[in-house]
Every structure is written in structure tokens, then in C-alpha cells.
Amino acid sequence: MADTGRSTTPDGIPDTPDATSAPEGARPAGPAPSDAAAPSGTMPRCGAAAPSDPAGAAHTLAQRRTGLLTTLVLGGLTALPPLSMDMYLPALPEVTDALHSPAATVQLTLTACLAGMALGQLVVGPMSDKWGRRRPLLIGMVIYVLATAVCAFATNAPLLVGFRLVQGLAGASGIVIARAVVRDLYDGVAMARFFSTLMLISGTAPIIAPLIGGQVLRFTDWRGIFIVLTVVGAVLSFVVWRWLDETLPPERRHSGGLRQALHTMRGLLADRVFAGYMLAGGFAFAALFAYISGSSFVIQEIYGASPQTFSLLFGLNSVGLVAFGQLNGKVLVGRVNLDRVVTAGLAIITLAAGALLVMVSGVFGRPGLALVAGALFVLMSAMGLVLPNTNAQALQRAGHAAGSASALLGTASFLVGAIASPLVGIAGEHTAVPMAAVQLGSALAAALCFVALCRPWQQQSDYERQG
């Protein structure tokens, strides 16, 4: 990868080093549209002074209400992927029996959905830069609803795998466009804080989803979970159609076709620092997804826990992730250099994964469920320090092509996660060693990419020289 230095973004747009570590109110990298160009009904870019007259105060109140609505809509879009994954997790052993398929084959239903979400973002991201955010999003949501409904009536594993792939391809629209909308509306410190707010909303989904999935299984079979997801997708599609305004005005859209999109992505990938944040976040996500795809079998098959107990433990870990995400957004962002926060998060993830591998390998005997659950809790919680900040730092360098940049970030994360999923089950259902090994390997790879490509010490030095 070419090192483009710290002076320009991939397409030659002037850049400032590590804008998200600058004091709040500092001008972010890249051109920002004026408030006058902001589309009607959307939140203004932050930093505007509060008006002192009554009419201005009323306008500010309306903007805050619109901002809350936008936050909830974007939170729903980012919550849909964990809903699609996590509601299904307690049913994996049941699907294995119902479709008469081995566990590795059933785990491919997770891999297919994840791979679809990765590939779909490569298509939807550039489309949203060319045609705006709303049209690709609505098309994707409709296809998601139809594919999820078909999954509910799948009669064999190959059919389920195939339509989980379609479900992922369509569901990618919500993931990539939600991030692009955030970049349309925010810069710098405010963008990092907003990503932490999104983590509060989307992090609630993994808490609720397995609990809902476990309760659904008490009244019906695994097909009922997909029926619930179909209804959720339909409701969210209506909310997007009714209340999410366009955030990318025509004058900021890209007029080029496939060649222009490929050129933009190639430029982003050639940016060493952008690529570093992308890969660091991607490998951290792989450690998270190794937990998602493997913990159901580890907790239920190895330790004999019920689906309800697994759901409670999964929800507890999600609480840790949300809590650390809020610590990041409310306390650390704007006070501590974001690269230092990422460094701390990656160190915690690596130590937790290493401790988990030592425990489950039997070096000190068979560990109890409490020890394994504790290590997983620490690992999951530290994700709240890494994922929002790597996304914010990468998108800060790509305001000129937020859709394409968001697509690359999402694709890297989901592709690496899709590769990690089958590795977790490679040794069968009765050992947790592969899950812990994948988590440790992913954490080490994330740390290596962050140090070698982002070079956080160099960025901080550049910022101090220019400050």
C-alpha cells in the first residue's frame, strides 16, 4: 500500500492529521458543505452557535427533535444486522437437528449472511454516493424483507444458506448508508461521539435479540424467529420511507460510473492510514464474530447451559460493550487522543483472548463457566473502545466519498468475520480452543495493522507540530 503521507487525502483533498483528536470545534479534514446546503429536515453539522432570539430557540429545539429522530432511525439500521444474527443464535442447535445437517453446515448460514453483508456494501456504498442515500436504502430494505420471509420456510440447509446470502446482500444497505449519513452530518469529535451513541442503540439489539430468540423458541420453532425478523424489517422500511430525509444534496454526488467508483476506492485503499484503521477495525470485528458464531455451541453444548442462560450471558456481554462505548463517547472523546484509546482497547482484547485460550486449552484444568464468561465479557467490552474510533478516524479522512469509504470499512469487517466463522467450528462442537485461537489471532493482527500502518505516535507528533 502506498503511503500518501499526512498532507492529502487519497484524491488530493487537503487533510489535517488526526482531526478527531483535535479539540472540539477544530475544522475537520476535507471540504465540508455549508449549513445552507444541508437538506431540509436533517441535522446541521455540529458547531453552530445557539441562537439567542425566541424564534431561533424554537428552530434549535426543532433541530434537536429532528436529530433525535435521525439518531433513532440510524440506530435501527445499525441494529438490524445484530438482530439478524443474534436472534438466530439460540436456535442453531435446533436448526442442526431440524434440517439434519452437521453443525459446520448450519454455521455456514451465519457465514453466508455475513459474506452477503460484506459484498453488498461494495455495491450500495458507491450507489449512495451517486444517487443519494434514500433510494438504495429503500430498495435494499424491501429485498431484505422478502429474503427473510423465504428463510422462514426453508426446507433444507442449502436453501437456507442461499437466502441468508440474499438477506445479507440486501441488509448491507442499512449498514453502509447509516455510516455514510453520519459522515454527511458530522465531523471530527462530534462524529466519534455519534458513533458511540449509535453503539448504545445498536448494542441494545444484541442484549434483546437472544432474549427474544430464546423466548420465541419457547412458543414455536426456529422458523418463528425469521417471521419476527420479517416484521421488524417491514416496520423499519416504513420508518425509513416516512422519516429519513436525504442527506446528500445533488451538488455533492458523484456523477461517474463504475470506473469512477473503482478509482475512488483504489485511492482510499492507497491511503496507508485509512487502510490501517480499516484493517484494525476489521480484525477486531473478526474477534467479535468468532464469539458470535462460536459461543452458542461453547455455552450450550460444552457447558450444558439452556438457550435462556446463553441469552442472558450474551446480553450481559453486550451490556459491557455498550457501557464501554458510552465511556468512550461521553468521557474519553475530546479529552484523550483517539489513537491512545484504540491502543488500550486492542491491548485489553489481546490479553483477554490470550487468557481465554490458556483456560480452554486445559493447561490449568477444565475452567468453570464463570471464568470463561468473565474472559468473554472483558473481550466484548473492550470492543466499545475500538470499533467506533477506528470507524470515525477512517471516515474523517474520506469526507469526499463517505459512501465508498463506509463500504470498504464494512466489507473488510464482514469478509474477515466470514472467514473467521467456519474456523471456529473446525474442530467440532465440543472444544472452545478454535474460538479462542481465532480471537487471539485476530486481535494480534488488528494490533499489528494499527501499529504498522496508522503509526499513531507519528500522527500525534504531526498534530503537535502543526498545533
Side-chain angles (χ1 to χ4, degrees):
M1 296 179 185
D3 184 350
T4 60
R6 298 295 298 161
S7 59
T8 61
T9 58
D11 289 346
I13 297 174
D15 186 24
T16 57
D18 197 10
T20 54
S21 63
E24 186 169 8
R27 183 177 179 83
S34 65
D35 290 343
S40 174
T42 61
M43 287 183 292
R45 301 180 82 85
C46 36
S52 57
D53 60 285
H59 179 63
T60 300
L61 180 59
Q63 287 179 336
R64 288 176 180 172
R65 289 173 178 170
T66 302
L68 176 60
L69 182 59
T70 303
T71 301
L72 293 175
V73 174
L74 296 181
L77 292 173
T78 55
L80 192 59
L83 279 175
S84 301
M85 294 286 182
D86 301 341
M87 279 184 63
Y88 180 59
L89 292 179
L92 284 177
E94 181 180 326
V95 175
T96 299
D97 295 334
L99 299 182
H100 307 290
S101 299
T105 301
V106 172
Q107 282 182 325
L108 286 178
T109 62
L110 293 174
T111 303
C113 186
L114 199 64
M117 289 180 181
L119 297 176
Q121 292 183 68
L122 288 178
V123 177
V124 177
M127 285 173 59
S128 73
D129 282 337
K130 182 177 181 180
W131 293 323
R133 311 305 186 197
R134 272 178 58 87
R135 193 193 314 177
L137 177 57
L138 288 171
I139 293 173
M141 291 301 298
V142 170
I143 297 175
Y144 171 89
V145 171
L146 296 175
T148 306
V150 174
C151 288
F153 300 98
T155 56
N156 54 69
L159 183 63
L160 182 59
V161 170
F163 275 93
R164 285 284 278 176
L165 176 64
V166 176
Q167 183 191 42
L169 288 168
S173 59
I175 305 169
V176 66
I177 292 179
R179 275 197 302 261
V181 169
V182 173
R183 187 60 185 92
D184 291 341
L185 300 176
Y186 289 98
D187 288 305
V189 168
M191 180 169 56
R193 285 180 175 157
F194 194 89
F195 274 122
S196 293
T197 301
L198 283 187
M199 179 162 287
L200 172 62
I201 299 173
S202 62
T204 304
I207 299 173
I208 299 175
L211 296 174
I212 295 175
Q215 295 306 311
V216 169
L217 291 176
R218 296 182 64 179
F219 300 100
T220 182
D221 59 7
W222 61 273
R223 300 179 190 276
I225 293 177
F226 284 107
I227 292 175
V228 173
L229 287 173
T230 301
V231 174
V232 171
V235 171
L236 187 56
S237 299
F238 173 78
V239 171
V240 168
W241 172 77
R242 179 65 179 82
W243 285 293
L244 184 63
D245 293 319
E246 181 59 65
T247 60
L248 187 67
E251 61 269 19
R252 292 179 56 210
R253 297 176 188 176
H254 292 189
S255 57
L258 178 61
R259 179 176 297 181
Q260 176 63 33
L262 293 176
H263 173 74
T264 300
M265 289 186 175
R266 184 168 61 250
L268 289 167
L269 291 174
D271 180 359
R272 168 179 55 79
V273 181
F274 175 89
Y277 288 124
M278 178 187 71
L279 292 173
F283 281 113
F285 185 83
L288 184 150
F289 195 76
Y291 161 78
I292 291 175
S293 60
S295 61
S296 176
F297 290 100
V298 170
I299 302 299
Q300 294 184 76
E301 299 296 330
I302 297 179
Y303 288 95
S306 67
Q308 287 72 35
T309 299
F310 164 73
S311 299
L312 289 173
L313 290 175
F314 195 94
L316 180 63
N317 291 337
S318 298
V319 168
L321 188 151
V322 170
F324 271 67
Q326 290 310 290
L327 172 68
N328 176 71
K330 304 297 184 182
V331 179
L332 300 179
V333 172
R335 295 180 176 88
V336 181
N337 179 273
L338 292 189
D339 285 334
R340 293 180 180 175
V341 179
V342 173
T343 300
L346 289 175
I348 295 172
I349 292 171
T350 302
L351 291 174
L356 181 63
L357 180 60
V358 170
M359 286 191 291
V360 300
S361 62
V363 175
F364 301 106
R366 179 183 170 88
L369 178 59
L371 289 176
V372 172
L376 290 173
F377 176 81
V378 173
L379 187 151
M380 283 287 289
S381 298
M383 293 291 174
L385 303 178
V386 175
L387 298 181
N389 292 329
T390 53
N391 280 334
Q393 294 282 64
L395 285 172
Q396 184 63 36
R397 300 178 61 83
H400 58 293
S404 296
S406 178
L408 288 174
L409 291 173
T411 298
S413 296
F414 282 86
L415 277 180
V416 176
I419 294 172
S421 176
L423 295 178
V424 168
I426 197 170
E429 307 171 23
H430 304 293
T431 175
V433 170
M435 181 185 75
V438 170
Q439 289 174 325
L440 179 58
S442 298
L444 291 172
L448 177 62
C449 291
F450 177 65
V451 171
L453 298 177
C454 297
R455 302 175 188 174
W457 66 89
Q458 186 180 71
Q459 294 187 68
Q460 178 64 15
S461 298
D462 290 344
Y463 174 71
E464 290 173 350
R465 284 198 298 270
Q466 293 194 15

